[in-house]
Amino acid sequence: MNDPARILVVDDTPANVKLLADVLGARGYVVSTAASGKEALDRVATDCPDLVLLDVVMPEMSGYEVCKALRADPATALLPVVMVTALDPAQERVKGIEAGADDFLTKPINQPELMARVRSLLRVKQLWDEVAELNRTLETRVAEQVAQLERLGRLKRFFSPQLAEAIVSGGAEDPLKSHRRDITVVFLDLRGFTAFAETAEPEEVMGVLREYHAEMGRLILEHEGTLERFTGDGMMIFFNDPVPVPDAPERAVRMAVAMRGRVDELLTRWKKRGYDLDFGVGIAQGYATIGAIGFEGRLDYGAIGTVTNLAARLCGEAQPRQILISQRVYGGVEDSVEVEDLGGLTLKGFSKPVPAFNVLRLRG
């Protein structure tokens, strides 16, 4: 609605027009006038009033005919119209309702009644305008949300849900921009997979990978980890990026223990088919540089740093069904797990023995 509100006064008697215009103008409204029905319709089209005070008896085109014309036009179908008449109110009210009028005033005009009805209908007009604006923008907003959901769905096929949502929603920082963060990294792979892939049919290999990836993927999502990459039988997952979590080491260890339990079920099925496979995990905590890696048209979300190398080496050192964790990870979960102290392990790329612990089970 216009501010201040615009009111169109329609009457073929100049004295009546001046009276209404003076009263309304004194109250701060912007008043335009018309002396006939046709002029009234032209004024409505050019001035876009918020309310029309419409005389009933006019030559050529009556107020009822003007009102019907306004109601027939979608642009003015909800425009408030007050019929002003000196005729019998009881009879004229029925005709006015049939024509689409919103209210009536009887001549001579009672000024307090006039202002009360004007204010009331302008409030209604404002509400209708707000609803119309919501409806006007609804289709656009729905289309934008659908497009956002489609983008999110496509991104989730390649990135973790947390990263996909961060990319789509935007924010203070670009989640793909390189940054450093303290993360907990989990490496896992299937033992004996290379030998299995060399002797098994391709369909069998793909079947094993599908089962393995599906079960591990569910647990990654459940524990809110970020899947960095698949490497056939191996996976790299990290915690605390792009969404920070307060208990990254504990989440990582709980996920790994749950994965070991799930793989035990898979191994039972696979052994019945003659597949000789097993499972190992390495977990480390430390700072890494994280961000988009690749080129335009093909990007991965990766983490680079000593912590990723340590997790990978621990995974490589793990015996079947072992979950090896670094000293720092153990410090963050020692109250939650029972471990076997393996002492210092000699790992490729590390000049000194690295303390490591084998997770036996969760406490409680």
Side-chain angles (χ1 to χ4, degrees):
M1 191 174 71
N2 298 299
D3 186 17
R6 298 175 183 175
I7 299 177
L8 173 62
V9 176
V10 185
D11 198 312
D12 62 332
T13 303
N16 293 338
V17 171
K18 185 178 186 308
L19 172 63
L20 290 172
D22 289 346
V23 170
L24 295 168
R27 302 303 196 280
Y29 297 113
V30 176
V31 181
S32 58
T33 63
S36 68
K38 183 178 183 306
E39 186 182 357
L41 294 177
D42 292 339
R43 283 287 190 179
V44 167
T46 57
D47 295 354
C48 299
D50 298 302
L51 183 145
V52 178
L53 292 176
L54 183 59
D55 187 27
V56 171
V57 181
M58 293 184 294
E60 297 181 5
M61 192 175 191
S62 72
Y64 299 132
E65 292 173 313
V66 173
C67 190
K68 289 179 180 178
L70 293 174
R71 294 296 177 251
D73 185 348
T76 57
L78 298 176
L79 176 63
V81 175
V82 179
M83 305 298 292
V84 182
T85 180
L87 302 176
D88 181 6
Q91 294 181 1
E92 298 307 311
R93 189 174 297 273
V94 174
K95 294 179 182 179
I97 291 173
E98 291 176 345
D102 296 284
D103 211 337
F104 292 85
L105 283 172
T106 303
K107 296 179 181 178
I109 298 297
N110 178 291
Q111 291 190 21
E113 181 184 6
L114 166 67
M115 300 313 303
R117 293 181 187 275
V118 165
R119 286 192 295 268
S120 176
L121 285 173
L122 288 177
R123 284 197 298 271
V124 173
K125 173 66 163 51
Q126 183 174 7
L127 292 174
W128 277 117
D129 286 350
E130 291 173 359
V131 171
E133 178 64 17
L134 289 173
N135 287 335
R136 188 184 68 79
T137 60
L138 178 61
E139 184 176 350
T140 300
R141 288 183 284 117
V142 169
E144 290 174 351
Q145 290 172 356
V146 169
Q148 188 176 44
L149 289 172
E150 289 175 349
R151 290 196 299 271
L152 182 60
R154 289 194 297 270
L155 285 170
K156 281 184 176 180
R157 297 176 63 186
F158 301 98
F159 297 124
S160 71
Q162 304 96 307
L163 178 58
E165 289 168 4
I167 293 172
V168 170
S169 64
E173 296 184 8
D174 181 357
L176 295 178
K177 183 179 179 181
S178 292
H179 56 280
R180 280 180 61 78
R181 182 165 289 168
D182 186 10
I183 61 174
T184 301
V185 180
V186 181
F187 264 91
L188 56 129
D189 71 358
L190 291 175
R191 299 295 188 259
F193 183 80
T194 301
F196 165 68
E198 290 175 352
T199 58
E201 295 294 333
E203 292 79 6
E204 293 179 294
V205 175
M206 292 302 294
V208 165
L209 287 178
R210 274 194 297 269
E211 289 181 288
Y212 174 61
H213 289 161
E215 295 297 335
M216 299 303 99
R218 290 190 188 96
L219 291 171
I220 293 170
L221 295 178
E222 181 181 322
H223 290 81
E224 299 182 286
T226 299
L227 177 61
E228 200 258 19
R229 75 174 80 118
F230 285 109
T231 55
D233 62 316
M235 296 184 194
M236 174 180 160
I237 305 108
F238 53 81
F239 292 84
N240 205 40
D241 190 90
V243 179
V245 293
D247 54 350
E250 184 171 344
R251 284 176 186 249
V253 172
R254 288 186 177 278
M255 180 190 72
V257 172
M259 285 177 165
R260 180 167 61 187
R262 198 68 56 85
V263 168
D264 283 346
E265 300 171 10
L266 292 175
L267 291 177
T268 300
R269 297 206 298 266
W270 291 342
K271 290 186 186 303
K272 291 179 180 179
R273 302 176 201 166
Y275 307 155
D276 187 14
L277 298 167
D278 221 303
F279 176 76
V281 181
I283 306 176
Q285 182 182 4
Y287 277 89
T289 299
I290 307 167
I293 300 173
F295 55 89
E296 191 64 33
R298 181 63 174 91
L299 294 174
D300 285 326
Y301 191 67
I304 298 174
T306 302
V307 63
T308 63
N309 295 334
L310 177 55
R313 298 304 181 200
L314 289 172
C315 179
E317 191 70 20
Q319 298 300 307
R321 301 188 72 261
Q322 280 191 334
I323 299 172
L324 301 191
I325 61 176
S326 67
Q327 176 73 60
R328 189 173 174 195
V329 173
Y330 177 59
V333 300
E334 59 182 327
D335 294 334
S336 305
V337 298
E338 295 180 15
V339 301
E340 173 190 5
D341 188 346
L342 302 181
L345 300 181
T346 302
L347 303 178
K348 182 179 179 180
F350 292 84
S351 58
K352 298 180 180 180
V354 177
F357 303 84
N358 174 36
V359 177
L360 302 177
R361 63 188 63 84
L362 297 176
R363 295 185 189 274

